Structures are given as C-alpha cells and as structure tokens.
Amino acid sequence: MKNYSICLPSYSIGDDVYSSIEKICSPFGKKIVCIGGKTAISKVRDLIEKSIENTDLIILDFLWYGGEASYENVHMLENTDTVSDADMIFAIGGGKALDTSKALAFRTGKPVFTFPTIASNCSGTTAVSIMYNSDGSFKEPFFFPSPAKHCFIHTPTIAHSPSKYIWAGMGDTYAKYFESVMSSRGEDLVHYHNLGVTASRLCLYPLLKYGKKALDDFRKGEASFEVEQIILSVVVTTGIASILLTAEHIIDYNTGLAHAVFYALTSYPHIEEKHLHGEVVAYGVLILLLVDNDREMFKTIFDFNKSISLPTCLADIEMKSEDLENLVPKVCAMKDIDHNPYKITEEMVMKAFIELEEYNNNI
C-alpha cells in the first residue's frame, strides 16, 4: 500500500474573517511581516492592524513583493532583516504577490497566511507557486508539501477590487475542469487524482450558473450570493483540485492545452503587459475543445465567453493569423500537453486556431 499525506486548504470567507486572525495565527508566533502588492496592502492594512489591536501579535513591517513572482524577488526578500526576524508571513494581494510570499515562506521555513484581495486565481489556497523570469515570461511551477496555514477571504475587499480580476479568474477556473478531465481520460486513477477530477466539476458548473449575474453584481460593488459562489470557485475549489491533482508534484493532470496556449503567448510582451492570465487561458480553452472535437461544449463555452466578453478570437488578445506560424510550435513545445489521451500535433492545433477564427467570422 502506498503511503502518502494530503494537506487541504484551511480558509475563512465573509465580511468579518479578519477578526479571527489572532485566534488562528497566534499559535505560530508573535512577529509578523506582511508582504504584498502596494495597492493590495493599502486596501487591507488598516483592517489587519485593527484586527490585532490588544493582542500579542506584532507587525514588523509591510514590504512590497517586488512586482514579479520571480526567484530574484524571493532572494531579495529573504535577505531583509524583517523577514529574518519574523515568526510568520502574511501574504497580501493577487496571485504573483501570494506566490512570491509562499515561495519565500518555503525557503525560510516560516508559516505563511494568505490574504487574497482579488479573485483571479487559486494562489491563496494551493500548494504551488507559478514562477516567472524577471522579464515576465513563464519559468516553472514550484511545488510545496502543503498550502498556506490559512486563507482569509474578505469578501468586501474582493468585491471592491477591479472587476477584471474576477472576470479573468473565471477563465482560469473553468480551465481546471477541462484540462483535468481531458488529461485523465481513460485512466484508472488513484484516489487523490480521482477526487481532484471530481472536484473540478465545481470549477465549471457554478460559473455557468452564476457567472454572468456575479460579474454584473461585482461591477456594482455588491458581495451578493452569486459573487460569493464565484469567489469560492475561483479561490477555493480550484485550489483544492490543484492540490489533489498535483499530489505527486507533477503537472500531468493539473494543466493542459489551454495553459500551453497561455504560456506560449507570454513570449509576446503585450500579453503580460495588457492581458490577464485567466483571460488568455479562457481563449486557450476554446482551442482545447476544438482539438478535442467537443463541439457541444465548445459552443457552450464560446457563448459564455461572449456573454461576459472573455476572448473568443485572436483579435481579442491582439494577435493576428500571421502570428500562428510562430505561435503554434511554441504551444506544442510546452510540457503542459505531454500527458493526454492522444498526441497533440502542430497540425491539430493550427487547425483549431483557424477553425475558431472561421467560427467567429460566421456568427
């Protein structure tokens, strides 16, 4: 019998979750260093400081994470005195800030607590950091034995963040379902992989049911029931699925063609400069569904993307048909497509890109 351990996320969600900081974090020490994005810190600094008044917890400093989830920034933070002196790390912000802080926590052996201020991805609850080179191009996933000690999901803060983040987060979230189902098809899965694929259903169907209204409510700053359901899908469900699917620290079931499309596109500077991860992954899902010849689901996702203005064509991500000759080989060179029920060829991918353009032109 195989011996293994699975560490799933611990999280709180609501409008008063910061009141639990002292109870949840004090067993890990007293001295805190807060690391995150500048805007993110400005949104929650007063809330966090107020929540630990009259407790033994002390915040040593608020530090900027460096602007990129890179090993260079991890090393920079590792050499600061306040990080060395701290008992624990509070990671504040979006995916790159949280991923930088999680990597730093692993390297320094300190416990980390996450405070997502946007709902664009599952970084707050998952046990991996997506690392980039200093120029913004993708480098590699950096896996950890367990996720953050706890994730504090403060819905009012997220509901007042720019709507583009939860908009893009939906694209990255439903990709988890399609990529895990496709990559595991026909296999006799071990329990944790099977559980991860099963959980990934909740990365898709709540979005189709609540996504449009949630985005409309979000743009009004309302933390409605629908908004909460989408936040949970993006931040929590995807994180749980990711941990189960990468329990062996492999990407076989946790990624796929949609992310291969994204990572290949990061070689074009304007993608990182002007477009969000989940936004581009949402476009990649349409390529995946065409390659996989799932026309019924392709139409469902195409229509959903259209309903909330996620990308459906090359022009939406500022690319042209003449770029495909250079782009398609990069997509097929990504390790994300190594584990599939069939070999994905350049011919198949090129055909899907062209078919998607033609479908757009004919509607």
Side-chain angles (χ1 to χ4, degrees):
M1 180 177 290
K2 185 177 182 180
N3 294 284
Y4 63 88
S5 299
I6 302 292
C7 298
L8 294 177
S10 168
Y11 65 94
S12 304
I13 184 169
D15 59 5
D16 192 36
V17 292
Y18 289 176
S19 65
S20 302
I21 289 176
E22 193 272 338
K23 178 182 178 181
I24 292 171
C25 300
S26 60
F28 297 90
K30 296 181 178 181
K31 295 180 290 183
I32 304 161
V33 60
C34 296
I35 300 171
K38 294 177 182 178
T39 300
I41 288 173
S42 72
K43 298 293 184 183
V44 300
R45 179 170 182 160
D46 290 347
L47 292 171
I48 293 175
E49 288 180 331
K50 185 177 181 180
S51 72
I52 64 169
E53 287 179 354
N54 304 316
T55 74
D56 291 334
L57 296 175
I58 303 168
I59 295 175
L60 301 179
D61 205 353
F62 287 84
L63 302 176
W64 182 47
Y65 78 100
E68 187 57 80
S70 66
Y71 291 113
E72 290 82 0
N73 284 331
V74 171
H75 296 324
M76 176 269 294
L77 290 163
E78 193 174 5
N79 291 325
T80 61
D81 291 339
T82 45
V83 170
S84 297
D85 293 342
D87 297 318
M88 68 190 87
I89 296 169
F90 280 11
I92 302 168
K96 290 191 174 185
L98 303 187
D99 280 357
T100 302
S101 301
K102 291 188 308 184
L104 173 68
F106 180 80
R107 286 184 59 86
T108 58
K110 299 179 188 293
V112 60
F113 300 84
T114 56
F115 296 76
T117 57
I118 59 176
S120 64
N121 57 59
C122 60
S123 180
T125 60
T126 198
V128 64
S129 286
I130 303 301
M131 305 303 292
Y132 292 81
N133 297 304
S134 296
D135 64 2
S137 59
F138 170 72
K139 184 174 179 65
E140 63 183 8
F142 182 12
F143 292 102
F144 315 116
S146 60
K149 296 297 182 182
H150 196 83
C151 178
F152 295 90
I153 307 168
H154 189 244
T155 47
T157 296
I158 294 177
H160 287 90
S161 66
S163 62
K164 65 180 181 179
Y165 294 117
I166 197 167
W167 168 75
M170 286 193 270
D172 197 33
T173 295
Y174 68 60
K176 185 71 65 184
Y177 170 76
F178 293 113
E179 291 183 323
S180 65
V181 168
M182 180 177 176
S183 62
S184 65
R185 185 182 301 147
E187 297 189 17
D188 188 12
L189 299 174
V190 296
H191 178 266
Y192 45 83
H193 288 156
N194 204 343
L195 186 58
V197 173
T198 302
S200 76
R201 288 182 56 83
L202 291 178
C203 295
L204 172 63
Y205 292 102
L207 273 61
L208 297 179
K209 183 175 183 178
Y210 302 119
K212 178 64 168 63
K213 185 177 185 301
L215 190 57
D216 291 341
D217 291 346
F218 200 95
R219 286 170 174 158
K220 301 172 189 174
E222 298 177 5
S224 65
F225 171 81
E226 289 82 3
V227 167
E228 185 175 277
Q229 298 312 298
I230 298 305
I231 291 173
L232 285 166
S233 291
V234 173
V235 178
V236 177
T237 308
T238 313
I240 291 171
S242 177
I243 288 170
L244 293 165
L245 295 168
T246 61
E248 298 165 352
H249 293 180
I250 57 174
I251 64 171
D252 290 2
Y253 305 106
N254 195 51
T255 189
L257 182 54
H259 276 80
V261 170
F262 167 76
Y263 292 131
L265 281 163
T266 63
S267 62
Y268 296 85
H270 76 274
I271 293 294
E272 281 291 305
E273 292 169 4
K274 300 181 182 180
H275 298 274
L276 296 171
H277 174 96
E279 172 193 359
V280 181
V281 170
Y283 172 78
V285 167
L286 295 175
I287 299 299
L288 178 154
L289 291 169
L290 287 173
V291 167
D292 204 34
N293 200 31
D294 189 344
R295 295 301 190 274
E296 182 177 354
M297 187 56 79
F298 164 78
K299 188 177 186 308
T300 297
I301 299 304
F302 184 95
D303 291 345
F304 178 75
N305 281 13
K306 276 290 188 183
S307 74
I308 62 171
S309 299
L310 281 170
T312 62
C313 64
L314 287 169
D316 289 342
I317 53 172
E318 301 176 86
M319 298 292 287
K320 299 177 180 178
S321 295
E322 46 264 41
D323 295 319
L324 293 178
E325 186 175 351
N326 181 54
L327 175 62
V328 169
K330 291 182 178 181
V331 172
C332 294
M334 293 293 161
K335 291 186 178 297
D336 302 77
I337 65 170
D338 284 355
H339 191 98
N340 272 295
Y342 51 82
K343 180 176 175 57
I344 296 175
T345 66
E346 290 185 18
E347 181 181 3
M348 295 162 64
V349 175
M350 179 66 79
K351 181 182 177 183
F353 274 106
I354 294 171
E355 183 176 349
L356 181 53
E357 290 301 291
E358 292 175 346
Y359 188 86
N360 276 274
N361 293 334
N362 291 330
I363 59 172

